[in-house]
Amino acid sequence: MVPSTLQYLDRAKPEPSSAVQAEAWLPEYWYGRFLGLGNKGLDGCIDYTNLDYGTSLHFATVGSNNGHNGNDGIAFLNELEVLADFSFRAVHLESVIGKQIVEAYYGRPHDKAYFLGCSMGGRQGTQSALMYPEDFDGIVAGAPATNFNFFEGWAAMLGQRIGAPDPTGNDSFIPPELWDVVAAEVLRQCDGQDGVEDGIITEPDECRFRPEAILCVPGQESGCLSIFQINALNEIYRPLFGRNGEFLYSRYDPGAEADGGAQQWFSGSIDPFIADWYRFAVLSDPAYSFENFSLDTIMLGDTLNPGIIGTVNGDFSFVAYGGRKFLTYHGRMDQVIPSGNSKEMYNNIARTLSMPSLDDFYRLFLVPGMNHCMGGPGATAFGQSGIASNVMNSSSYNVLLAMVDWVESGISPDVIIGTGSAGQTRMHCRYPQKSVWDGSTFSCEA
């Protein structure tokens, strides 16, 4: 914890059946900036890592439990107000009440307000921009779980492709050791497409992975896959479509399966994050087994849209014309949320606002070699979460500081420079620019 920082705990009850608990960390040396924080997964956990991080950069920082305690979905069962807190209201209360606390403590109001979150926190930041654009001047929203209802359905379908909820005796199940075979073949086919073989696929959307290359031949008993497993892979590496062929959700990024965390979706069971959402928020059936899970279940979840959680509206008018700024980033090896989803959101906003470029107010940075929110073999630290990610205290190397420069000085971030675990750096490009290898380094080209 940063020395000389006041910690303040508060509890708000927006409705009789709901309550939001939050902490404000207030640094001794304050530069007039307010920072609200997001959450992860189904978390009802205050983000202490980023409370520490925010105050280390002299932000008055507030994080909440998102309206419930714990990291499961039990609190959502038949509780519409708790769902509303989780979906959008807790972050709004962070902003409203947090700013009141800040003003009371420092004796003056804040100058500028910012938001920092990734994954579910990225979705919260996006929802905040859509529903309460006046809450934050600048939002940093990483790997956002937007299009949430179809994301949940897509993730459940990934498990179902290989036998979930119970893979016992299912010919399509792919055990962990065979995922290593799949990952190696994906790299063999696609790693060199960017001009350098470094274990990183710069543009997964250009990887047309052909799993048939590792189909077992007669007499081969290891290091290969059966026709049933190959068929499952072909389904995994294609988008989710509706019954009439309509696009619902982006495909799994080739290359992301190389991370061990990919087993969240490919273990042969339905991940608790997905299971709890359907059991407690969508179906109100704690005993639901997923044996009959189908596209109909997914469409029901989208129709119900619990807590208005979908976060798929492309109308960013109040951000675009209100002088506010939005920065998002997404790893191209994200084993949880495919990076194509962030491209879809960008293009959705462009279509909705009839804007070919969103550069004036919205920037998406795609990060080759990065897993979900952080980590991976690439240059994946750029100030996005926790003190450890702030390798260099400079806006070129830190997305939060880049947002401050954009909001307060009008200096828009053209690129973000990431740093890897071995000290290597790489320039990350804003969409729709491309990261291009020139024989010695990567640069950004339109």
Side-chain angles (χ1 to χ4, degrees), residues 352-373:
T352 302
L353 299 183
S354 298
M355 290 183 176
S357 172
L358 310 182
D359 272 359
D360 286 346
F361 66 95
Y362 189 109
R363 298 207 169 188
L364 162 62
F365 292 89
L366 297 170
V367 185
M370 188 171 81
N371 299 148
H372 188 52
C373 294

Side-chain angles (χ1 to χ4, degrees), residues 304-331:
L304 294 176
N305 194 20
I308 324 175
I309 201 167
T311 320
V312 72
N313 186 354
D315 188 359
F316 264 60
S317 299
F318 288 104
V319 178
Y321 303 117
R324 295 172 175 84
K325 308 299 180 185
F326 192 97
L327 187 156
T328 181
Y329 59 88
H330 209 132

Side-chain angles (χ1 to χ4, degrees), residues 3 20 60 172 216-217 281 322 360 387 427:
V20 177
S172 298
C216 292
V217 299
D360 286 346
I387 291 174
M427 181 185 300

Side-chain angles (χ1 to χ4, degrees), residues 97-217:
I97 298 177
K99 291 171 185 174
Q100 294 171 358
I101 293 169
V102 166
E103 183 173 1
Y105 181 70
Y106 291 109
R108 71 174 183 88
H110 70 286
D111 297 321
K112 295 294 181 181
Y114 301 90
F115 177 89
L116 181 68
C118 191
S119 191
M120 180 59 71
R123 187 207 62 79
Q124 290 171 305
T126 308
Q127 189 78 307
S128 178
L130 289 167
M131 296 184 69
Y132 301 103
E134 70 281 359
D135 281 357
F136 301 104
D137 299 289
I139 291 173
V140 178
T146 52
N147 196 5
F148 185 80
N149 296 315
F150 289 133
F151 160 63
E152 288 277 321
W154 166 86
M157 280 293 192
L158 287 188
Q160 193 179 65
R161 305 289 189 210
I162 57 170
D166 181 6
T168 305
N170 192 303
D171 292 332
S172 298
F173 179 66
I174 303 173
E177 63 271 16
L178 283 183
W179 279 107
D180 293 338
V181 175
V182 174
E185 181 61 22
V186 169
L187 284 179
R188 190 191 71 79
Q189 292 185 25
C190 298
D191 185 11
Q193 289 181 343
D194 57 9
V196 58
E197 294 186 1
D198 56 358
I200 294 172
I201 300 172
T202 294
E203 180 48 85
D205 289 341
E206 294 178 359
C207 175
R208 300 304 176 197
F209 174 52
R210 180 178 175 272
E212 286 79 5
I214 47 175
L215 178 63
C216 292
V217 299

Side-chain angles (χ1 to χ4, degrees), residues 406-445:
W406 197 7
V407 168
E408 298 179 18
S409 302
I411 302 172
S412 54
D414 286 330
V415 299
I416 292 294
I417 301 173
T419 303
S421 58
Q424 79 275 21
T425 60
R426 178 169 176 175
M427 181 185 300
H428 300 310
C429 309
R430 70 183 189 277
Y431 182 74
Q433 291 185 351
K434 294 183 179 295
S435 183
V436 178
W437 177 255
D438 65 6
S440 60
T441 189
F442 283 98
S443 60
C444 300
E445 295 183 2

Side-chain angles (χ1 to χ4, degrees), residues 270-314:
I270 301 295
D271 184 80
F273 169 61
I274 305 301
D276 276 15
W277 182 253
Y278 277 102
R279 286 169 177 159
F280 300 112
V282 176
L283 301 173
S284 299
D285 180 4
Y288 181 68
S289 67
F290 284 84
E291 291 291 342
N292 61 348
F293 187 86
S294 69
L295 274 172
D296 291 338
T297 319
I298 296 174
M299 300 311 296
L300 174 63
D302 189 56
T303 299
L304 294 176
N305 194 20
I308 324 175
I309 201 167
T311 320
V312 72
N313 186 354

